[in-house]
Amino acid sequence: MRTIRYRDAVREAIAEEMERDERVLIMGEEVGHYQGAYKVTEGLLDRFTDKRVIDTPIAEAGFAGIGIGAAMVGLRPIVEFMTWNFSFVAFDQIVQNAAKIHQMSGGQISVPIVFRGPNGAARQVSSQHSHAVEPFYCSVPGMYVVAPSTPRDVKGLLKTSIRSNNPVIFLEGETIYGVKGEVPDLPEDGADGELIAFGKARIAREGTDCTIVTWGSPYYTVLEAAEVLAKEGIECEVVDPRTIRPLDVDTIVKSVEKTNRCVVVHEHWPYGGPGAEIVDQVQSRAFDYLDAPIGRVAGLDVPMPYATNLEETVLPTVERVIDAVKGVTYRS
Amino acid sequence: MAKRDELIPLYRQLHLIRRFEEEAARAYAKGRIGGFLHLYIGQEAVAVGANAALRADDYVFQTYRDHGTALARGSSPRACMAELYGKDAGCSRGLGGSMHFFDVANNFYGGYGIIGGHVALAAGAAYKSKYAGDDRIAMCFLGDGATNIGGFHEGMSLAGLWKLPLVVVIENNAYAMGTPMSRTTAVTDFTTKAVGYGMASDRFDGHDVRVVQEHMAKAIDRARSGGGPTLLEVMTYRFRGHSMSDPGKYRTKEELEERKKRDPVKLARQALLDLGMNEEDIAALDAEVEAEVQDAVDFAENAEPAKAEAMWQTVMAPEDL
């Protein structure tokens, strides 16, 4: 094992898969000569040339569409959105084409494409640059939605996503690109490296008193809250689903059967989305095991404000997670 | 003789598309077909002329008005009619319907109901050719109405920038659904748009299938030989409404009658006569087409309904992870 940053893990996954498969290319704004707006693609242009590392103009709908068209006839494009906030102008391409073409062609055409980029708030970038987009995409059948929290998960899941025959919405965490974590050693030449399957949750912390389901940036807020709670005698089990669609409901339910309590923590707005979906899945499958209504800690139901004092209150905080867990364990 | 022999299969395709759609309209009126049905009647020479100039391995994309293009590419009338009927034997297994014909075996990459964005899809197929270093080109059809949406602009812009082997065909039928061009766009000569995208362009009449084929061939050659994309504006006209629910009150009966004088099927028929083919031989050809269309209707009527199993199995493509 080695310790590397989240952004380096993303880059390693891309480079290893480009090395392995000539059909893989990456396109997006500033991915080449600029070396990536977040340095994720640093060095890739030199290594793979401008044939496979393609700078695009500011035209998300256009290059998302070109990626889909190229995927339909056999390439395996990785389309980078500088941030997921910019994906909304390509929403038509993603939802109407990438997700639908396999079925509406009666299964004749598949669309092996990865849309990836940083998701969620990134400290004071305000109203239009702070979206956690998973609710928009996870409701659409025909795509996978992946939201890894750790360097190891992001690498293993991105490699799987690039090899998938289907469209993948790959949500990285803008505020966790610098997070360090252990990953397996670099694979020997020609070896596969670690691949992590879709739909398999990871138990990040074992516990007996309350299950917390979380993913992406809030994952680290939750781990911090769990440490504080442990000192007060409340042991939380933290389940990171890693993929939002497909969702590993079995692992979540198994945990709730043990702890009898559940809190879902996410950055996206509280109305609907995977947060609400997980609550519904748990209540319908583990109703008899629940000793309290399922709790939820979400981003507040407002457009993201600029002012730092306000932004801090909008995002899930350690305090709000602690309060929610105490609420469902009746310790408040 | 050579000219006549070349025109015979084109006339046959024109007539087949016309008769196929007339029967589809009849089936729609009888309630055998549901949803939207956008007929290509009047515009057939565009698809047939284009296909005559294309290679079988070139990629073709179209809007929802896609029946004629699929049939011109070589899709079977049976599979097409069965799709309209929502049957499992349909070209998209009854999952796509009228607006979403697909036939990969004939390199027909689909009918798209949300127009504009499909220009970028076609550019993506062209991108693959450039990436792989092969000489397959992509052709994308759209209506005049689709030039006003953002997706058109971004697809064109990138195709021009990257000099992709793409031919974009604007089938100018003068109306965006029920709104005439004078009320949808400031500049009605669409070839002027090509300048801004760094593309070549051409504008021509779309009623004579031979004229269409000739102009298409030039643009296709340019794309295939590395000369980059071309924007084509083909002047055409649809004789029916936008869809089956459109009575066409936005245009006069006189205008329609005037336009019908240049019916592409009749023009091709007359051309065959002028080239010395006799009435009996044309009638024999027509009878063949008639039997083929009737066979398609019978097939669709009796085919198995669409399957729930197919619906579930095609949400995600099979993985080999």
Side-chain angles (χ1 to χ4, degrees), chain A residues 21-25 27 50-52 54-76 89 92-93 96-97 99 101-111 141-144 159-161 163-167 198 245, chain B residues 59 61 83 91-93 95-97 100-105 108-133 150-151 154-155 157-159 161-162 164 310-321:
Chain A
D21 186 345
E22 278 286 328
R23 298 170 301 173
V24 178
L25 58 91
M27 59 166 65
D50 61 2
K51 182 189 174 189
R52 299 177 70 196
I54 301 132
D55 281 321
T56 66
I58 302 168
E60 279 80 6
F63 66 79
I66 284 190
I68 295 164
M72 290 169 71
V73 297
L75 294 183
R76 291 184 166 262
V89 293
D92 170 55
Q93 289 293 359
Q96 294 280 16
N97 290 331
I101 283 170
H102 185 64
Q103 176 160 98
M104 73 184 186
S105 67
Q108 291 179 75
I109 300 168
S110 54
V111 184
M143 306 189 290
Y144 298 121
K159 285 168 70 78
T160 302
S161 299
R163 294 187 194 190
S164 169
N165 293 329
N166 288 287
F198 296 139
R245 188 193 259 267
Chain B
Y59 308 107
F61 293 73
E83 188 61 29
C91 57
S92 301
R93 300 199 70 182
L95 300 170
H100 309 303
F101 279 15
F102 284 84
D103 182 359
V104 172
F108 180 60
Y109 276 82
Y112 295 86
I114 311 297
I115 54 169
H118 72 302
V119 176
L121 300 184
Y127 193 92
K128 157 80 188 306
S129 296
K130 198 177 175 191
Y131 189 89
E154 292 196 25
S157 172
L158 288 167
L161 175 69
W162 290 335
L164 300 178
M311 171 181 79
W312 288 109
Q313 283 172 354
T314 54
V315 176
M316 307 302 290
E319 295 287 7
D320 40 24
L321 290 165

Side-chain angles (χ1 to χ4, degrees), chain B residues 2 7 19 22 26 45 49 54 68 176 183 209 219 263 281-282 301:
Chain B
L7 187 56
R19 288 293 302 121
E22 285 170 350
R26 192 194 302 266
L54 283 165
R183 291 198 288 119
V209 70
D263 180 329
D281 289 345
I282 297 176
E301 285 281 351

Side-chain angles (χ1 to χ4, degrees), chain B residues 196-216:
Chain B
Y197 300 120
M199 288 187 188
S201 66
D202 190 9
R203 191 180 205 224
F204 53 91
D205 176 72
H207 296 87
D208 183 334
V209 70
R210 295 166 302 178
V211 170
V212 174
Q213 179 183 4
E214 198 184 307
H215 284 266
M216 290 279 179

